[in-house]
Every structure is written in C-alpha cells, then in structure tokens.
Amino acid sequence: METLLEELQGTLSAADAAWLRLLQMQYDNRNLLAYLADKNAPLHPLGTLTAADWAELMVLIDETDNPKDARLQPYMLTFLQAVNDEKTRENIHSQEDFLATLYYDFGSKSENKFVADWFNYCLDINNILAALICRKHGLDVKQAIVGNNAVAKAIRKNNTRDFGLTGIFDGLDALMLLAEEPNLLERERKIDQLKWNWLEEHTFFHYFSVERVLAFWLKCEILHRWDNLTAENGQQIFRQLLDELKKDVKL
C-alpha cells in the first residue's frame, strides 16, 4: 500500500491528489488518537502527517486561538478544541466515535460526488449494522450511531423494525440478513463484498477519471485487509483485478 501510494502521489494532479488525501485521513484519525494517548506511539505509515507534524500542530493549537495551518483539517481542529476544553470533554462519550462523526461529516460534504457518496455509503452500512446488533443484544442504539446524515438521524429517532429506513437506504433487506450472520469472519467478508460491488457500480461510467483511481485505491485497501489469505488465493484475486483494469483500458 505504501508503494502504491507513492506511485499515485507522483502521478495525480494536485487537485486529484487532494481527494486521495481525504481518503487517507482515516489513518490520520488513528494516528491522532494514538499520539494523544502516547506521543511515542508508532503511527500508521499511510497517514498524511508524521509525529513531528502532530507535535507542531499541538503547540500551534495551545498557543493560538484560531490556528491556521494547511495540515490541520477543520474537523481535526474541532475535535482537538473539544477534547482540550474541560466542559465539552465531559460530554464526549467516545473520542473515537466523536472524531469519526466529524470525519464522516467532513468527507460527505466533499465537492467530488463519488467521494461524498462513498463516505455516506460506508457510514450508512456501519450505522445500520451497529443499530441492528445493538437492538439484538439490548444495547443503547443511539450511543452506537456515528455521524449526522439522513440515515443516522432516522435510526436515532425511529424504533421500528427497519428504523424508518425503507425508501431511504437501498439494500436494507440484505444488510438486515447480513446482521444475522453468526460467523464474524464471513460477515466481514460480505460487508467488504458489498463495498466492492458499490465501487464497481459507481465507477461504471468513469473510464479515465480520478474516480477510477480512487476506487482502485479503495479496492486495494479491501484486499489489504485480507492479507492473511493464502498466497495462491491472493494472487488469483490480484490477477482478476488486473484483468478488469486491462478491460477498462481497452474501452
């Protein structure tokens, strides 16, 4: 993934590379939480910011009321100001969920429709599955919901079987069946298959565009999650992916 990232960064225009950085910021979120817990914690290599960056930004936030730095995304600043304030910090149930909410809200407002739709789709899947699992085990559904889009708001307000999502989220029935899958590994595979299918559908009419590149990056992330596959299976999947790309080029 690091090698692929270097290749993409050296190929994409500055404008297109910005969309890729937005997707990468999920790793910055992990690194930020890790850095706050331990300044010497190892950081994920796919993050856009280094430990030195975080150290400089923390000083900037401490010394400036309205810090301005290209490395400091608006949602990150909101998060850090909230956790640094004693009054607001008390109302944060989970720093991880709070940061995720801000990140998803930020990503879903992207000017690139493909990127914005991807953020909303992933958020919706996570929230619906979390809500179904919480209801099954008698847990507080509202505490598990992240973000503030239409699906998140509907789940928080509606206690019916479908959380009022019929007509709002396509593929709801499939997700409800998926939530009943007893094998956690198989459930994760099926979730990733849904995401893969979504990427296929939403780049069908994008032939030579940044959306194709971003979808390729996201597919590689999915494959990377399953790097414990046997070498034979992994090579087979990779060959299939390459064959699909070759077909696209011929178009």
Side-chain angles (χ1 to χ4, degrees):
M1 294 300 293
E2 293 174 65
T3 303
L4 174 60
L5 180 60
E6 290 178 6
E7 295 237 4
L8 293 179
Q9 289 173 335
T11 304
L12 294 173
S13 67
D16 290 345
W19 307 128
L20 178 60
R21 284 197 300 275
L22 178 55
L23 298 177
Q24 278 181 264
M25 287 174 198
Q26 63 165 310
Y27 302 106
D28 285 326
N29 295 344
R30 297 185 199 178
N31 290 342
L32 174 54
L33 293 171
Y35 184 85
L36 291 176
D38 179 3
K39 291 181 174 55
N40 296 315
L43 302 184
H44 198 292
L46 294 182
T48 67
L49 302 177
T50 65
D53 289 322
W54 288 120
E56 292 174 7
L57 292 174
M58 295 304 171
V59 172
L60 183 64
I61 291 172
D62 288 340
E63 297 180 350
T64 311
D65 291 332
N66 295 300
K68 294 183 179 180
D69 190 297
R71 296 170 295 178
L72 190 61
Q73 298 298 323
Y75 79 91
M76 293 178 182
L77 178 58
T78 300
F79 171 79
L80 289 168
Q81 289 176 333
V83 298
N84 287 336
D85 185 275
E86 186 175 345
K87 293 181 180 179
T88 55
R89 185 169 61 244
E90 293 177 353
N91 297 322
I92 298 175
H93 174 71
S94 162
Q95 288 191 6
E96 183 177 1
D97 286 350
F98 179 51
L99 181 57
T101 294
L102 297 173
Y103 175 57
Y104 276 113
D105 285 345
F106 182 69
S108 66
K109 294 179 177 65
S110 169
E111 294 179 0
N112 183 295
K113 187 177 186 303
F114 170 81
V115 173
D117 289 348
W118 171 253
F119 270 86
N120 275 309
Y121 181 70
C122 291
L123 178 62
D124 291 344
I125 283 183
N126 292 340
N127 277 337
I128 292 170
L129 289 175
L132 291 169
I133 292 170
C134 283
R135 183 165 64 185
K136 180 179 179 179
H137 297 284
L139 303 174
D140 186 357
V141 171
K142 293 181 181 179
Q143 292 287 355
I145 302 307
V146 170
N148 297 296
N149 66 4
V151 169
K153 290 178 180 178
I155 294 174
R156 290 191 184 102
K157 295 178 180 179
N158 200 306
N159 293 321
T160 59
R161 178 181 176 277
D162 66 350
F163 295 104
L165 295 176
T166 299
I168 296 178
F169 181 84
D170 294 333
L172 178 63
D173 291 340
L175 270 186
M176 294 181 76
L177 286 174
L178 200 157
E180 297 299 322
E181 171 60 58
N183 186 310
L184 295 180
L185 182 64
E186 186 61 24
R187 183 191 301 172
E188 286 298 311
R189 288 181 184 276
K190 290 179 179 178
I191 292 172
D192 278 349
Q193 185 63 60
L194 288 176
K195 292 179 179 179
W196 187 286
N197 292 343
W198 188 96
L199 291 169
E200 288 282 297
E201 293 169 7
H202 285 75
T203 53
F204 187 79
F205 294 107
H206 293 282
Y207 301 118
F208 301 101
S209 66
V210 66
E211 286 79 9
R212 276 279 177 174
V213 177
L214 298 177
F216 180 74
W217 169 261
L218 293 168
K219 286 179 179 179
C220 286
E221 281 190 324
I222 291 174
L223 291 177
H224 189 61
R225 287 191 66 209
W226 298 98
D227 59 5
N228 60 339
L229 285 169
T230 64
E232 181 180 354
N233 288 340
Q235 289 174 2
Q236 180 181 358
I237 293 173
F238 188 68
R239 283 196 297 269
Q240 290 173 351
L241 181 58
L242 286 178
D243 289 340
E244 291 174 9
L245 289 172
K246 290 177 181 177
K247 291 177 183 177
D248 293 336
V249 171
K250 289 179 181 178
L251 293 174

